[in-house]
Amino acid sequence: MLKTFNDIASACFLNSLQRESSSLYYVTQPEGSCHLHIPLEQDKYILVPVHYFSSLGISEYRWPAFLISGQERVEISFRQVVEIIINNKKLVGDQTNSNKLKFIERVMESHANTHAAISRISSFNSLFDGALKFENAEQGLLAGHSVHPAPKSREQFSEEDASLFTPEFQSCFPLRWFAVSRQLVLKDSAGKDSATALLGKVLAVDNKLRKALLGKIPEGFCLFPVHPWQSKVLLKRADIKEYIKNNQLIDLGDHGTNWLPTSSTRSLYSPGLPLMLKFSLSVKLTNSIRTMSEKEVRRGLRLKTIVEADEFQAKTNKYTGFTIMQEPAFLGIIGIDGKVIEESLVSLRDNVIKDTPEQEAVVLATLCQQHPTGKNSLLASRVSYLAKRKSISLSEAALKWFEQYCQHAVVPLFDMQANHGIVFLAHQQNIVMKLEDGLPVGMYFRDCQGTGYTDIAYKLYPEYLIDDAFDRENYWDESKVKRYFPYYLIINSTYNVISALASRCNILEESLINILRNSLKSLRADGVNDRSCLNYVLDSPTLCCKGNFFCYLQNLNENSIPEPSVIYFDLPNPLFKEKDKIFNNGNNEELSLV
């Protein structure tokens, strides 16, 4: 019998290609086995055995794959599959040799990085079979984005860098610290505490840091935190060298308690400290170089002022389990040209789990990721635990879990958009589920960079949005909301939840899709200020979806594309049912359900 094996890194690649290419399709053999069919030329094609077929595009595969040519059937490796695909014009179009070679290199680097992280795990039970604390979940994401050709590629990192600074290697390290002349620091904050005061609270708690820096910060200088890898980038800059030469910047070195990289790599967490820190990091992760801009870090300040306003609190107190990890302040170093050095920017994020470090707070991507050996995902294991604890069937437990997920994540986020005009781009790594005995009781949203405001917000909270001229991207019209918001929350996040449950919990994807549909229909039926996005998600035959495969193949930096919508395409919408479509008289008034 042929020995097959799981390969979660290859699943990310195949699912991203299959989602974007109409040439690929699944075939079921008479005996019931399923394969992904990748047509080549003439009578040649590739077959990849499928362990679990997902109608939502998050399938599981078994290796090896096979190259079929007439009656000949040859086993081929993942690298061979990648090379054959990338050199087939019918599948990927006419690509330059440099693009093809770079793409293959990055895909295989990501594949190797994933397997290197997996090889370091002594026991999968601790990651896939029990309650996880925040930091364990953050550092337990092995493959990354489940529908991306190279989610763990990070070409600017050496192997040593990866082992020192990436979460999946369970790394931890002290920060680099600068002392910078105040006139060279751009900083701002929302709320009662300045950025300097917030860092002072870290200094007050971190005894090692306080002792190390005692007497080393001159009068008129600001303490400035730097990611240790990013410090190498900054110290090579001519303006930073000039500041050091002129005694305007002092490199104090690496000091203090250890910080852990979270699933995004550039955001750091240290249990017990009052802040998390999000840094610009000059590394390409998935589709983007992960440096921030001033307009992006200011979004955290704006969001804090709105959500702490009395009028907002009064209208949203029904969502007791919904918490935002606020980013109330930022710092950056001003360059010789008078503009902030984007590579130096750091956002200060509230550590909202500081007082409950043992809480089961799990990033959604880790909950849903496929098990490296093909066993239960963490989500499936928690549902199995729930079924035993409640003495109910596995399918009943899965339904209960998903209902709670919709109640505590999907509905509040849609309510924020539809009733308050606040858009949260809630992808899998921005949603951290609050669990009790494995069951959702709330969620944390993080990354205020991914927020925006519609006309409703400008009407409800005008005094907080008057300076939108600085960041016009912060204003979202109807078309922009429809393009991005459902992609992140529904396609990126919720599809993965559905697939993870259906693949192991004796439940059909369609049953879970029905729960999602009904949750959104109930919110719409209750009456909302803006039903345009809900109508789109429920009534449109297609949803706008990001094309990660071809964006990455074309070597685009998503953050710098003049019009990011060019990497999106229409994906069939499983929530759409013709008989449920709302007909209206042009005034957005519901007339009937047929």
Side-chain angles (χ1 to χ4, degrees):
M1 176 179 289
L2 177 69
K3 184 176 181 181
T4 64
F5 59 93
N6 196 39
D7 184 351
I8 58 176
S10 70
C12 303
F13 174 91
L14 291 172
N15 285 331
S16 66
L17 175 62
Q18 189 278 328
R19 178 173 280 180
E20 296 175 50
S21 175
S22 59
S23 299
L24 278 64
Y25 57 91
Y26 293 95
V27 293
T28 302
Q29 306 298 335
E31 78 279 6
S33 64
C34 181
H35 291 80
L36 176 63
H37 186 283
I38 306 174
L40 302 174
E41 64 279 334
Q42 299 173 350
D43 61 345
K44 289 185 178 180
Y45 55 93
I46 294 171
L47 286 181
V48 185
V50 176
H51 178 70
Y52 170 73
F53 165 72
S54 169
S55 65
L56 301 177
I58 305 100
S59 297
E60 298 179 30
Y61 303 90
R62 290 290 182 268
W63 290 80
F66 301 94
L67 177 62
I68 311 298
S69 179
Q71 298 301 311
E72 187 179 9
R73 177 184 176 101
V74 180
E75 288 184 21
I76 54 175
S77 66
F78 175 64
R79 183 182 187 95
Q80 289 172 302
V81 169
V82 174
E83 290 175 344
I84 292 171
I85 288 171
I86 208 65
N87 285 293
N88 189 291
K89 291 183 180 180
K90 291 183 179 180
L91 293 175
V92 300
D94 196 2
Q95 304 293 328
T96 65
N97 284 333
S98 61
N99 255 20
K100 291 191 287 188
L101 290 173
K102 175 60 72 175
F103 180 79
I104 293 170
E105 177 186 349
R106 289 170 169 171
V107 169
M108 296 314 301
E109 178 213 352
S110 176
H111 188 266
N113 288 340
T114 300
H115 284 274
I118 291 171
S119 69
R120 292 168 64 105
I121 298 177
S122 58
S123 171
F124 289 119
N125 289 342
S126 60
L127 182 57
F128 288 93
D129 195 27
L132 291 185
K133 296 189 296 184
F134 176 78
E135 64 262 37
N136 301 130
E138 292 296 321
Q139 299 207 322
L141 184 58
L142 302 174
H145 197 311
S146 58
V147 189
H148 191 283
K152 286 297 182 180
S153 172
R154 38 186 183 251
E155 58 191 291
Q156 290 83 0
F157 272 3
S158 66
E159 286 188 16
E160 182 182 7
D161 291 334
S163 67
L164 292 174
F165 301 118
T166 58
E168 60 269 26
F169 284 92
Q170 289 78 54
S171 59
C172 61
F173 44 83
L175 295 181
R176 190 67 161 248
W177 294 91
F178 291 170
V180 185
S181 174
R182 284 177 185 165
Q183 64 185 9
L184 297 179
V185 177
L186 175 69
K187 55 188 175 72
D188 202 355
S189 64
K192 61 180 181 179
D193 290 323
S194 68
T196 302
L198 290 170
L199 285 176
K201 292 182 178 182
V202 171
L203 201 61
V205 177
D206 189 344
N207 294 327
K208 289 176 62 178
L209 179 64
R210 190 172 63 255
K211 290 177 181 178
L213 300 184
L214 187 64
K216 294 184 179 180
I217 305 172
E219 185 71 26
F221 278 63
C222 289
L223 185 62
F224 196 98
V226 187
H227 188 291
W229 186 88
Q230 191 70 5
S231 69
K232 301 174 186 177
V233 175
L234 293 173
L235 290 170
K236 291 177 183 177
R237 290 180 56 98
D239 41 11
I240 298 297
K241 290 179 179 179
E242 186 73 14
Y243 292 157
I244 293 174
K245 180 181 177 182
N246 295 335
N247 296 317
Q248 295 172 293
L249 186 153
I250 303 168
D251 180 6
L252 300 170
D254 298 348
H255 298 292
T257 192
N258 281 336
W259 295 70
L260 305 108
T262 61
S263 59
S264 69
T265 301
R266 61 174 169 169
S267 294
L268 307 183
Y269 164 75
S270 186
L273 295 186
L275 296 176
M276 301 184 196
L277 300 176
K278 178 182 177 182
F279 292 93
S280 277
L281 200 63
S282 302
V283 178
K284 185 170 185 178
L285 304 172
T286 61
N287 298 337
S288 308
I289 303 291
R290 300 296 169 161
T291 52
M292 297 183 288
S293 64
E294 183 182 346
K295 65 184 178 184
E296 288 171 335
V297 295
R298 287 192 178 277
R299 290 175 190 168
L301 281 58
R302 177 173 293 163
L303 181 64
K304 181 178 176 65
T305 59
I306 291 176
V307 301
E308 292 188 351
D310 291 340
E311 53 266 47
F312 179 88
Q313 292 289 325
K315 295 172 184 176
T316 59
N317 56 16
K318 59 183 174 180
Y319 297 120
T320 55
F322 183 85
T323 305
I324 300 168
M325 292 184 178
Q326 298 282 7
E327 296 169 5
F330 72 87
L331 301 96
I333 300 172
I334 299 171
I336 291 176
D337 61 0
K339 299 178 182 178
V340 69
I341 300 171
E342 293 188 341
E343 292 88 347
S344 73
L345 284 167
V346 53
S347 282
L348 312 186
R349 178 181 292 167
D350 289 341
N351 182 1
V352 295
I353 60 173
K354 175 176 68 71
D355 297 326
T356 56
E358 301 302 314
Q359 177 187 17
E360 189 177 1
V362 185
V363 60
L364 193 64
T366 296
L367 260 177
C368 297
Q369 71 178 337
Q370 296 178 15
H371 194 293
T373 66
K375 296 180 181 179
N376 277 357
S377 64
L378 175 59
L379 176 52
S381 293
R382 299 308 283 149
V383 169
S384 178
Y385 169 79
L386 177 66
K388 293 175 183 176
R389 189 172 62 85
K390 296 284 189 180
S391 298
I392 57 178
S393 70
L394 190 60
S395 59
E396 288 174 318
L399 289 171
K400 178 66 174 175
W401 201 99
F402 191 68
E403 287 170 351
Q404 292 286 99
Y405 164 78
C406 289
Q407 175 186 339
H408 291 292
V410 177
V411 172
L413 288 164
F414 264 96
D415 180 77
M416 295 291 177
Q417 178 274 318
N419 282 319
H420 302 278
I422 305 176
V423 182
F424 295 92
L425 295 184
H427 60 65
Q428 280 192 91
Q429 292 184 49
N430 284 349
I431 295 176
V432 177
M433 296 305 302
K434 302 178 187 179
L435 306 176
E436 288 184 4
D437 288 328
L439 190 65
V441 295
M443 69 156 280
Y444 297 105
F445 174 84
R446 64 177 169 200
D447 198 358
C448 301
Q449 176 182 336
T451 54
Y453 304 91
T454 70
D455 288 325
I456 291 175
Y458 282 84
K459 291 177 182 177
L460 292 175
Y461 314 108
E463 64 270 37
Y464 306 114
L465 295 170
I466 55 175
D467 66 338
D468 64 309
F470 181 81
D471 183 8
R472 295 194 180 279
E473 293 174 19
N474 226 198
Y475 169 72
W476 287 45
D477 61 20
E478 182 178 315
S479 63
K480 187 174 180 179
V481 173
K482 290 177 180 178
R483 181 181 306 121
Y484 298 115
F485 178 57
Y487 164 70
Y488 284 102
L489 178 54
I490 301 300
I491 297 174
N492 184 293
S493 294
T494 306
Y495 280 10
N496 277 275
V497 174
I498 292 172
S499 175
L501 290 170
S503 65
R504 295 293 187 278
C505 297
N506 196 29
I507 189 78
L508 295 175
E509 289 185 352
E510 181 59 32
S511 298
L512 300 171
I513 291 169
N514 284 336
I515 293 175
L516 175 61
R517 182 189 297 114
N518 291 335
S519 296
L520 296 178
K521 286 174 67 177
S522 294
L523 176 62
R524 181 171 68 177
D526 288 342
V528 294
N529 292 328
D530 175 11
R531 58 195 290 168
S532 60
C533 190
L534 281 166
N535 286 349
Y536 171 70
V537 170
L538 291 167
D539 301 334
S540 172
T542 61
L543 294 178
C544 209
C545 179
K546 187 190 294 185
N548 288 312
F549 187 93
F550 285 99
C551 174
Y552 201 73
L553 173 59
Q554 295 167 39
N555 197 25
L556 301 174
N557 179 6
E558 187 180 342
N559 282 348
S560 61
I561 301 173
E563 180 47 69
S565 63
V566 299
I567 65 173
Y568 283 72
F569 67 100
D570 288 334
L571 187 72
N573 179 13
L575 291 166
F576 170 71
K577 280 190 173 181
E578 186 67 35
K579 67 179 181 179
D580 287 339
K581 186 174 181 180
I582 289 181
F583 296 89
N584 64 67
N585 61 6
N587 295 318
N588 212 30
E589 295 175 4
E590 185 175 322
L591 298 180
S592 63
L593 289 174
V594 296

